[in-house]
Amino acid sequence: MPIQSYPLQRVPGFSKLLLDYLAGKPELKPLYGATPTLESFRAQIDQKKSINRQVLVDVLSEQYQNISDAPNIACLSDEKTFTVTTGHQLNLLTGPLYVIYKLVSTINLARKLQQAYPEFKFIPVYWMATEDHDWDEINHLHLFGKTYNCTSKQTGAVGRFKTADLAELISQLPSGIPIFKEAYQSSETLTEAVRKYMHALFGATGLVCIDADDARLKELIRPVMEADVLQKAHQKPVENTDAELVGLGYKPQIHAREINFFYMKGGLRERIEYRNGNYHVLNTDIRFSAEAIKAEIATHPENFSPNVVLRPLYQEMILPNLAYLGGPAEVGYWFQLKEIFDLHQVPFPILLPRNFALIVPPLVEKRLEKLELSILDLFQEPHVLRTKFIDKHTKNLLDLNDEHERLSTLMNKIAQKAQAIDETLEAAVLAEETRWQKGLERLTKKMRKAEERNQETGLRQLTAVKQDLFPAGQWQERHTNFLEFYLSNPAFLDALFAAFDPLTFELTVLNP
């Protein structure tokens, strides 16, 4: 699988915040910990404080009890074992390609660290966002140009959803995906199914999938719950950092609330708000006094689910974690959280963007060559790409810029003559110039449309290539499911492992 790569700085669409971070801009340094280099991990290992490893091992061992060839979870009890982590929602059949890219990037980072620091052990971790409740975001997938949807009347944390609702979807899917069919059909919940198919795909690499929806793990962050719910301790630190980011010219990604926990029970996951001396669970009749909610936290911490502001802190308090790998927006919002980590004296992980890729089939590559287009050209907006393509391939002059200038010069001379006769005539001359200039603009548009008809074949091919690599106007990795390539090429994942370097920040172009 031939490889071509481009530094992220050359690829349109990446945020200034991410690029400045990777470039080591000094103004950003107070907002994160160590830099994303292999050498930084030595100090990060020394900095990582002890966690309750036994609880972690107990929980993971229980979660993997029905998987015969489970990864070596017991090694996490060793003080010399550390994790590197990525996370994502429980998309159907892994969802868009970039979920796979996250996992491959994380596994490869663990491998590189193992080579660089052989005296330690490194475990790649997939943090399953089991507590997320936005079913509409994950209830579909795009495969071979078709969108598959799954409807469900279940509510609350999606990880608790029963898999029975997936039966109809599974029956519609193409053949050749027994990993997924078996996982869904043999599992009671969506969490269990995702763990099984992720293990089938990546278990041999040592990947561990963690479901943090567990009372024992929640107990470990009970002080954070009390600080947030009872003391409203986290909104101000985030707002302080937001002000710094805005002052540096960046836009904050997330919004901190006065209370950053949901109340989660059964099929319910709703925000908690403090109003008139009581704690209200939105869209319900559930109310707590201060003493009652304090008691609820103490006796049922599993009923409290962190939002995006506190989920990263939860992760770092229960895992012996050194780094987090995420997409550009994820890396961006971690910058807003450094002061919260400092408040709780929790080491801030090394942040790395996941690997980015574009899969270019041979037929599409040939079309690109014929059209004299580069991969970077395709990242432009369609109308910009079409305009540049026409300008590049036309044999005619498609603008009337010289004529506009000549008309302006001519009308200035006429205006001078008219003014000499009667000053009020200047306005009439200007009005005529405006009318004639607009006429030239209309002619320019007609000329360009005529040239578009002349180049209709090339433009049609251009549109097809753009659609192939940016389906529905989205980056391929944000839209297409990996099965589109894996089913015809079982070595697809191996190719990704060979191509991705999590410490080289580039767009990788692959030809399957």
Side-chain angles (χ1 to χ4, degrees):
M1 192 181 274
I3 298 171
Q4 188 178 11
S5 61
Y6 300 89
L8 296 187
Q9 291 82 357
R10 291 186 58 198
V11 182
F14 287 99
S15 70
K16 183 175 183 293
L17 177 59
L18 176 65
L19 298 179
D20 286 350
Y21 167 59
L22 296 178
K25 188 172 182 178
E27 290 87 343
L28 286 172
K29 187 65 181 74
L31 302 182
Y32 62 93
T35 55
T37 63
L38 189 61
E39 295 73 25
S40 295
F41 280 89
R42 174 70 258 191
Q44 191 75 11
I45 289 170
D46 295 337
Q47 184 189 78
K48 187 65 182 181
K49 293 184 178 181
S50 297
I51 63 160
N52 195 323
R53 290 175 177 266
Q54 191 55 54
V55 170
L56 177 63
V57 169
D58 289 346
V59 171
L60 285 171
S61 297
E62 183 178 299
Q63 292 179 357
Y64 273 87
Q65 63 182 340
N66 294 323
I67 296 178
S68 58
D69 57 340
N72 185 10
I73 291 167
C75 69
L76 285 165
S77 61
D78 188 336
E79 295 290 332
K80 287 193 171 183
T81 298
F82 296 91
T83 63
V84 290
T85 301
T86 192
H88 203 73
Q89 296 162 295
L90 304 185
N91 298 75
L92 300 181
L93 283 77
T94 76
L97 272 163
Y98 72 83
V99 178
I100 296 294
Y101 297 167
K102 278 185 169 185
L103 294 166
V104 173
S105 303
T106 304
I107 293 164
N108 273 358
L109 178 61
R111 290 173 171 176
K112 290 182 77 75
L113 292 174
Q114 197 65 64
Q115 293 175 350
Y117 303 101
E119 66 272 31
F120 300 98
K121 187 171 180 62
F122 302 93
I123 305 295
V125 170
Y126 168 40
W127 181 284
M128 299 189 292
T130 60
E131 297 180 30
D132 192 278
H133 62 270
D134 198 338
W135 174 243
D136 290 341
E137 283 193 7
I138 67 167
N139 67 357
H140 56 277
L141 71 148
H142 306 290
L143 182 61
F144 298 120
K146 182 177 178 180
T147 298
Y148 294 88
N149 291 284
C150 178
T151 59
S152 177
K153 294 182 179 179
Q154 298 178 74
T155 58
V158 297
R160 300 179 178 183
F161 277 27
K162 304 301 181 184
T163 55
D165 285 347
L166 297 174
E168 183 178 352
L169 170 69
I170 297 301
S171 68
Q172 298 174 11
L173 291 171
S175 60
I177 54 171
I179 287 175
F180 296 97
K181 290 185 177 180
E182 181 179 341
Y184 287 121
Q185 291 170 354
S186 67
S187 301
E188 183 178 348
T189 65
L190 191 57
T191 293
E192 183 184 354
V194 173
R195 182 187 297 110
K196 284 180 179 177
Y197 71 62
M198 285 300 187
H199 181 72
L201 291 171
F202 298 107
T205 70
L207 179 73
V208 171
C209 302
I210 185 169
D211 172 16
D213 182 8
D214 187 282
R216 291 161 292 181
L217 296 177
K218 292 286 181 69
E219 175 64 28
L220 300 178
I221 66 159
R222 192 153 55 86
V224 174
M225 293 180 186
E226 293 174 346
D228 188 75
V229 176
L230 301 175
Q231 301 169 24
K232 323 296 189 294
H234 301 121
Q235 185 176 34
K236 187 62 176 174
V238 175
E239 289 178 345
N240 291 340
T241 305
D242 289 353
E244 290 184 54
L245 284 167
V246 171
L248 293 171
Y250 307 109
K251 183 179 179 181
Q253 296 286 325
I254 58 175
H255 171 67
R257 298 183 181 277
E258 186 179 51
I259 296 174
N260 295 283
F261 276 92
F262 294 88
Y263 190 71
M264 186 173 69
K265 192 173 184 180
L268 173 72
R269 187 177 187 252
E270 292 284 354
R271 286 199 302 111
I272 304 168
E273 282 192 358
Y274 183 73
R275 299 197 304 257
N276 303 319
N278 287 299
Y279 292 87
H280 297 244
V281 178
L282 298 188
N283 302 313
T284 75
D285 295 327
I286 301 173
R287 304 287 184 269
F288 293 98
S289 66
E291 286 302 314
I293 204 164
K294 183 177 181 180
E296 183 77 357
I297 291 172
T299 56
H300 293 289
E302 69 274 15
N303 290 345
F304 294 85
S305 176
N307 69 3
V308 66
V309 171
L310 292 179
R311 189 214 62 78
L313 182 67
Y314 181 24
Q315 169 189 298
E316 295 301 312
M317 290 180 70
I318 67 173
L319 291 175
N321 197 52
L322 303 177
Y324 184 79
L325 296 88
E330 285 179 284
V331 173
Y333 74 63
W334 275 79
F335 284 104
Q336 297 175 246
L337 309 178
K338 179 65 162 55
E339 196 171 327
I340 289 180
F341 277 76
D342 293 343
L343 176 67
H344 292 281
Q345 298 183 327
V346 175
F348 198 78
I350 296 174
L351 300 178
L352 295 97
R354 61 170 174 83
N355 286 104
F356 304 89
L358 187 66
I359 313 300
V360 183
L363 179 60
V364 176
E365 186 178 25
K366 289 180 180 178
R367 288 176 179 170
L368 282 171
E369 293 175 359
K370 181 180 178 181
L371 294 170
E372 300 178 24
L373 291 171
S374 74
I375 290 296
L376 296 184
D377 287 333
L378 294 176
F379 282 83
Q380 300 173 96
E381 291 296 321
H383 70 279
V384 174
L385 184 58
R386 287 173 63 90
T387 297
K388 289 186 176 181
F389 182 85
I390 290 170
D391 290 342
K392 182 177 181 179
H393 292 87
T394 186
K395 297 178 181 178
N396 304 300
L397 188 61
L398 297 180
D399 66 61
L400 297 175
N401 292 336
D402 290 345
E403 286 73 12
H404 278 286
E405 291 182 10
R406 290 173 189 167
L407 177 60
S408 181
T409 301
L410 175 63
M411 296 307 290
N412 280 334
K413 291 180 180 179
I414 293 175
Q416 291 172 8
K417 290 181 179 181
Q419 263 187 308
I421 300 170
D422 185 342
E423 289 188 357
T424 62
L425 292 176
E426 180 185 13
V429 175
L430 292 176
E432 286 298 316
E433 179 184 1
T434 299
R435 185 168 63 86
W436 291 346
Q437 293 284 18
K438 287 182 178 179
L440 290 178
E441 291 173 3
R442 288 193 294 271
L443 286 173
T444 299
K445 290 179 180 179
K446 289 181 179 180
M447 290 165 59
R448 184 165 288 278
K449 282 197 172 294
E451 184 62 26
E452 285 184 10
R453 290 192 292 273
N454 293 338
Q455 297 190 38
E456 183 178 356
T457 299
L459 287 173
R460 188 168 57 249
Q461 293 172 346
L462 172 66
T463 299
V465 168
K466 177 76 172 179
Q467 174 63 25
D468 282 337
L469 300 182
F470 292 80
Q474 294 180 291
W475 286 24
Q476 178 194 69
E477 62 174 35
R478 298 176 186 172
H479 181 273
T480 305
N481 185 271
F482 93 107
L483 287 171
E484 193 153 316
F485 305 99
Y486 181 74
L487 288 178
S488 60
N489 179 13
F492 177 67
L493 292 179
D494 293 333
L496 294 182
F497 279 116
F500 283 179
D501 181 349
L503 294 169
T504 301
F505 311 116
E506 299 177 334
L507 168 72
T508 302
V509 179
L510 302 175
N511 306 110

